[in-house]
């Protein structure tokens, strides 16, 4: 991520649009994370100024084992590089290394209404899932996510469909702040893929695929071995008909067709034609093989990167320094607007 680039002398300087997104280091990414978000992150880095963070501050809203979280944070950082994100082209950093995120989050929480946060579906879902730990961080989670986005003046936020509500509240907070203090924040738009925005569980296809699912057969981890991937797809829950067709009520098959289409680029019509007259067994085998092959470079890159911890450290340290310099500009402006005495940096 860099300053806007100058084109010709006569034309105006062209500003590349700014992208920001994040992922929690709460386990190896699933195929849902990959197809819904990370694959787009890699594709966007040529045409946009991109910033990607490992959201470890968000991760502790659910109880984590400290040693495991540390290890997973490094592994997740390696994984985003393994998925094709180039730290020379994109700003890549670990959220807790850049203190401006927590600082802006506090300010934003003073411009967010209790009622707004109470309506967040993720808060309601996670409160039900962890009734013993409905902590305040879980409640104010959207303010931290808004801070991540607004600090970098992001224009676009590539996410899966489940994050749409968090993007909407980010915009509401930004509009409220801008109405009070002038144009401080760029209003971000969600960037949600047409196919793959909501990959479903293989075991319960009406439920989102999630890395925290207790049933290992419900999700594909992007580091699963090829034979494990094929086996999990063979076990995927479908229906009692035997027609590979995208139709209402065929949640399992619709999900498998979405996945197959995302990794091969084939349209639903092409898939229906190619598998006409064939059974679900053949289709599941084909989906499994296509996914295993698609993820092969990710697995190979990951193994190589994890052997070079010094390189990873160099990348995330450099990323954090740059992220701090960029985000501090927005934070300083915010602090000035709300009436804080100029900080010494
Ligand atoms: P997280 O870690 O739950 O997921 C990371 C990204 O993966 C997408 N995703 C999916 N897409 C399709 N199908 C699925 N089954 C699926 N499961 C997950 C998510 O939509 C997300 O884009 N709060 C965020 C992390 C975050 C963030 C940010 C995102 C922190 N700061 C700033 C954007 C901007 C989260 O928990 O994502």
């Amino acid at each position: 991520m860099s300053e806007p680039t100058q084109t010709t002398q006569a034309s105006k300087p062209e500003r590349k649009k700014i992208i920001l997104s994040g992922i929690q280091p709460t386990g190896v990414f699933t195929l849902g994370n990959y197809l819904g978000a990370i694959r787009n992150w890699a594709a966007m880095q040529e045409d946009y100024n991109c910033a990607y963070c490992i959201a470890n501050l968000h991760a502790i809203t659910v109880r984590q084992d400290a040693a495991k979280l540390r290890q997973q944070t490094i592994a997740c950082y390696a994984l985003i590089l393994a998925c094709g994100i180039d730290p020379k082209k994109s700003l890549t950093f670990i959220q807790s290394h850049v203190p401006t995120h927590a600082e802006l989050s506090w300010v934003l929480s003073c411009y967010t209404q209790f009622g707004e946060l109470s309506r967040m579906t993720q808060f309601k879902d996670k409160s039900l899932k962890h009734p013993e730990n409905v902590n305040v961080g879980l409640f104010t989670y959207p303010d931290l996510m808004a801070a991540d986005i607004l600090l970098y003046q992001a224009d676009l936020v590539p996410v899966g469909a489940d994050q749409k509500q968090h993007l909407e509240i980010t915009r509401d907070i930004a509009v409220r702040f801008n109405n009070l203090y002038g144009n401080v924040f760029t209003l971000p738009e969600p960037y949600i893929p047409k196919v793959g925005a909501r990959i479903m569980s293989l075991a319960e296809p009406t439920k989102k695929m999630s890395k925290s699912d207790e049933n290992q057969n419900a999700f594909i981890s992007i580091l699963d071995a090829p034979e494990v991937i094929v086996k999990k797809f063979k076990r995927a829950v479908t229906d009692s008909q035997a027609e590979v067709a995208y139709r209402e009520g065929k949640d399992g098959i619709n999900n498998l067709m979405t996945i197959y289409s995302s990794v091969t680029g084939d349209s639903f019509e092409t898939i229906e034609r190619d598998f006409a007259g064939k059974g679900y067994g053949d289709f599941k085998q084909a989906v499994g093989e296509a996914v295993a092959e698609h993820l092969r470079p990710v697995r190979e890159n990951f193994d190589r990167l994890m052997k070079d911890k010094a390189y990873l450290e160099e990348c995330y340290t450099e990323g954090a320094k740059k992220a701090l310099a960029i985000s501090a500009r927005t934070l300083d402006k915010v602090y000035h607007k709300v009436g804080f005495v100029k900080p010494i940096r």
Side-chain angles (χ1 to χ4, degrees):
M1 202 184 204
S2 54
E3 292 294 328
T5 47
Q6 193 86 33
T7 48
T8 62
Q9 271 186 326
S11 66
K12 270 186 163 182
E14 198 181 295
R15 179 170 90 69
K16 275 190 181 179
K17 284 201 167 160
I18 297 171
I19 302 285
L20 180 127
S21 200
I23 186 159
Q24 295 192 62
T26 43
V28 175
F29 308 156
T30 65
L31 188 61
N33 296 132
Y34 178 76
L35 296 177
I38 299 168
R39 196 164 68 146
N40 282 332
W41 298 7
M44 292 173 109
Q45 50 187 353
E46 303 303 331
D47 300 324
Y48 299 91
N49 252 339
C50 301
Y52 299 123
C53 78
I54 303 297
N56 59 342
L57 296 178
H58 281 109
I60 62 162
T61 54
V62 172
R63 209 57 84 223
Q64 305 287 342
D65 175 86
K68 206 165 146 203
L69 180 61
R70 240 186 306 279
Q71 183 270 327
Q72 280 175 347
T73 303
I74 306 286
C76 284
Y77 186 82
L79 258 185
I80 63 167
L81 303 200
C83 290
I85 287 136
D86 178 350
K88 290 200 181 68
K89 289 185 189 152
S90 302
L91 191 54
T92 50
F93 59 96
I94 296 169
Q95 192 185 30
S96 65
H97 288 174
V98 188
T100 44
H101 290 239
E103 291 176 271
L104 181 61
S105 174
W106 169 254
V107 176
L108 297 182
S109 72
C110 301
Y111 294 80
T112 312
Q113 299 303 303
F114 190 89
E116 287 178 296
L117 291 177
S118 313
R119 286 193 288 276
M120 294 292 111
T121 40
Q122 183 174 297
F123 172 68
K124 290 192 245 177
D125 290 349
K126 288 201 176 169
S127 307
L128 284 176
K129 209 166 159 197
H130 304 279
E132 74 300 341
N133 185 22
V134 184
N135 61 75
V136 176
L138 193 61
F139 189 64
T140 58
Y141 182 114
D143 282 315
L144 180 58
M145 192 163 147
D148 297 341
I149 297 166
L150 300 178
L151 275 172
Y152 299 86
Q153 307 289 350
D155 298 288
L156 286 174
V157 183
V159 283
D162 63 332
Q163 295 299 318
K164 194 162 171 256
Q165 199 185 28
H166 287 157
L167 259 293
E168 283 161 4
I169 194 172
T170 298
R171 283 174 64 93
D172 292 345
I173 298 166
V175 167
R176 184 170 303 142
F177 201 90
N178 286 353
N179 283 343
L180 286 167
Y181 301 111
N183 249 352
V184 179
F185 297 126
T186 301
L187 298 187
E189 298 278 351
Y191 181 93
I192 298 174
K194 285 201 180 70
V195 180
R198 196 170 166 80
I199 300 294
M200 311 309 277
S201 152
L202 298 185
E204 276 176 80
T206 48
K207 215 174 91 181
K208 178 185 92 163
M209 182 181 282
S210 163
K211 46 181 149 25
S212 56
D213 204 310
E214 273 155 28
N215 179 356
Q216 293 289 318
N217 287 320
F219 63 92
I220 303 288
S221 137
I222 63 168
L223 295 177
D224 276 344
E227 58 280 10
V228 174
I229 295 179
V230 172
K231 203 166 79 196
K232 285 186 181 177
F233 275 110
K234 277 193 172 156
R235 289 196 183 145
V237 169
T238 48
D239 52 62
S240 55
Q241 306 158 12
E243 193 193 1
V244 177
Y246 198 97
R247 303 269 185 279
E248 214 187 317
K250 286 171 74 76
D251 300 310
I253 285 295
N254 293 349
N255 190 36
L256 296 187
M257 285 181 70
T258 301
I259 293 171
Y260 192 71
S261 169
S262 300
V263 297
T264 60
D266 288 353
S267 66
F268 291 157
E269 294 77 42
T270 307
I271 300 172
E272 287 179 9
R273 204 185 49 227
D274 289 352
F275 289 90
K278 295 190 184 148
Y280 286 169
D282 288 348
F283 182 52
K284 288 178 176 180
Q285 179 77 24
V287 182
E289 285 172 6
V291 169
E293 192 49 36
H294 188 85
L295 295 177
R296 180 193 302 279
V298 175
R299 283 189 303 273
E300 290 171 359
N301 291 340
F302 178 76
D303 289 344
R304 185 174 40 78
L305 284 159
M306 284 303 276
K307 289 192 188 108
D308 196 351
K309 298 273 168 40
Y311 171 72
L312 294 174
E313 191 179 322
E314 197 184 302
C315 292
Y316 63 67
T317 306
E318 192 55 29
K321 279 188 200 152
K322 284 193 198 150
L324 181 59
I326 294 170
S327 58
R329 282 186 239 148
T330 302
L331 187 69
D332 283 354
K333 203 166 168 186
V334 168
Y335 275 8
H336 179 72
K337 295 286 187 186
V338 300
F340 292 170
V341 175
K342 195 174 188 325
I344 299 142
R345 292 212 186 265

